Amino acid sequence: MRITLAQIDSGTDVDRNLDLIADYCARAAREGSDLIVFPEYSSYEKSRVDQSFVDMAEPLDGPVAAKLQATAARYGIAVVAGLLEASRERDGSGERDRAFNTLLAIGPDGSRLAGYRKIHLFDCQGFRESDYIKAAPEPVPVTFSCGGMTFGLMTCYDLRFPELARILADAGAEVLLVCSSWVPGTAKTEQWATLAKARAIENGVYVAAVSQTPPVSIGYSMLIDPLGTVLHGLGTEPATATLDISPDAVQAAREQFPTWRHHRIH
């Protein structure tokens, strides 16, 4: 099958972001892509997570999701993109709103294939994502099928938790989609690449790591094969990369290094 990595520069203008996603989908469809993958916070993004992320959140049957589904159907391409999903909860001081950081997977007919709420929230480097974002109540793996392959969903900071990647691989994932807005910082670009390669090698899977561009994030989206080779890497500007992937490459890597059969610690 053919996959497109869409490295974009989302901002606070939701309509502009959705139009940008549609433009990239049209481009990928012309290239014969079966699936296009966008970063987390594709529909709304800024340098710090704040109350505006909660204010912009919608249910998964809201206008943002509906437009993404219509775009997928219009161009006949499966889409994975990050959006803000509304969530209302009650704590000890009364009612308090937070949003889910959600990845929505949409089929080429516009149907909803899967939804993944981010499990691990980025409370690091002076950030407090959890002040405004609610972690998935049930930390379960989410996979979906497209083009004859199985995909596992991960969001940004999830990449630092190898157990999630292993659980997804055990659940049948042949490709890990790591949709991110990787916060810049000392050695962060090197960590991004190293962790993505490690998740591929450990599990014998492709890793499609897609990030927002600077200044909010680092860019450097990449597709890594099941042996850890970077098949294509992007720089820091908005861009796409369209490549073919195959379950045969996954099978060959797992036959060469059958770690899934050898590992003894569960």
Side-chain angles (χ1 to χ4, degrees):
M1 72 161 294
R2 185 163 291 179
I3 185 172
T4 296
L5 282 58
Q7 180 170 284
I8 59 173
D9 58 344
S10 299
T12 57
D13 185 334
V14 174
D15 289 336
R16 177 260 183 190
N17 297 337
L18 293 175
D19 288 344
L20 183 65
I21 288 169
D23 289 344
Y24 276 57
C25 286
R27 184 188 312 179
R30 289 194 297 269
E31 295 175 349
S33 186
D34 300 292
L35 168 67
I36 183 168
V37 186
F38 291 92
E40 74 172 322
Y41 293 135
S42 293
S43 65
Y44 183 86
E45 174 65 310
K46 61 196 296 190
S47 59
R48 306 288 290 199
V49 177
D50 59 17
Q51 181 61 37
S52 67
F53 283 66
V54 180
D55 298 338
M56 299 304 296
E58 298 178 357
L60 289 186
D61 59 357
V64 168
K67 188 163 184 179
L68 289 172
Q69 290 177 267
T71 294
R74 181 182 312 123
Y75 296 109
I77 187 171
V79 176
V80 172
L83 50 75
L84 290 161
E85 180 189 353
S87 168
R88 193 163 188 83
E89 64 177 11
R90 186 179 295 274
D91 63 16
S93 60
E95 285 198 343
R96 180 167 65 97
D97 280 334
R98 287 190 292 174
F100 289 115
N101 181 348
T102 298
L103 299 179
L104 185 62
I106 304 164
D109 60 353
S111 64
R112 188 186 305 170
L113 298 177
Y116 168 67
R117 293 166 172 169
K118 188 177 183 181
I119 293 173
H120 303 101
L121 301 183
F122 190 71
D123 290 355
C124 309
Q125 292 183 279
F127 283 72
R128 288 281 305 174
E129 189 177 26
S130 64
D131 284 348
Y132 302 99
I133 302 297
K134 182 180 178 181
E138 297 293 333
V140 296
V142 175
T143 64
F144 68 93
S145 296
C146 177
M149 296 187 74
T150 301
F151 296 81
L153 294 172
M154 302 175 69
T155 305
C156 202
Y157 189 47
D158 286 336
L159 186 61
R160 293 183 181 270
F161 297 84
E163 61 272 22
L164 177 57
R166 175 54 58 90
I167 292 169
L168 287 166
D170 287 345
E174 299 160 292
V175 187
L176 300 180
L177 304 181
V178 186
C179 303
S180 307
S181 188
W182 198 258
V183 175
T186 302
K188 290 294 296 293
T189 300
E190 292 81 0
Q191 292 172 12
W192 164 251
T194 299
L195 290 165
K197 291 176 186 177
R199 300 297 87 86
I201 295 166
E202 289 165 348
N203 298 290
V205 294
Y206 288 97
V207 171
V210 183
S211 187
Q212 297 269 4
T213 64
V216 171
S217 183
I218 64 167
Y220 292 110
S221 301
M222 65 191 81
L223 180 67
I224 302 164
D225 78 5
L227 292 175
T229 299
V230 178
L231 300 177
H232 193 92
L234 297 174
T236 58
E237 297 299 318
T240 62
T242 299
L243 301 101
D244 292 324
I245 59 176
S246 168
D248 293 340
V250 175
Q251 183 62 31
R254 291 178 175 178
E255 288 176 358
Q256 188 173 353
F257 297 101
T259 55
W260 58 273
R261 190 169 66 235
H262 292 158
H263 96 274
R264 300 172 59 199
I265 301 173
H266 298 274

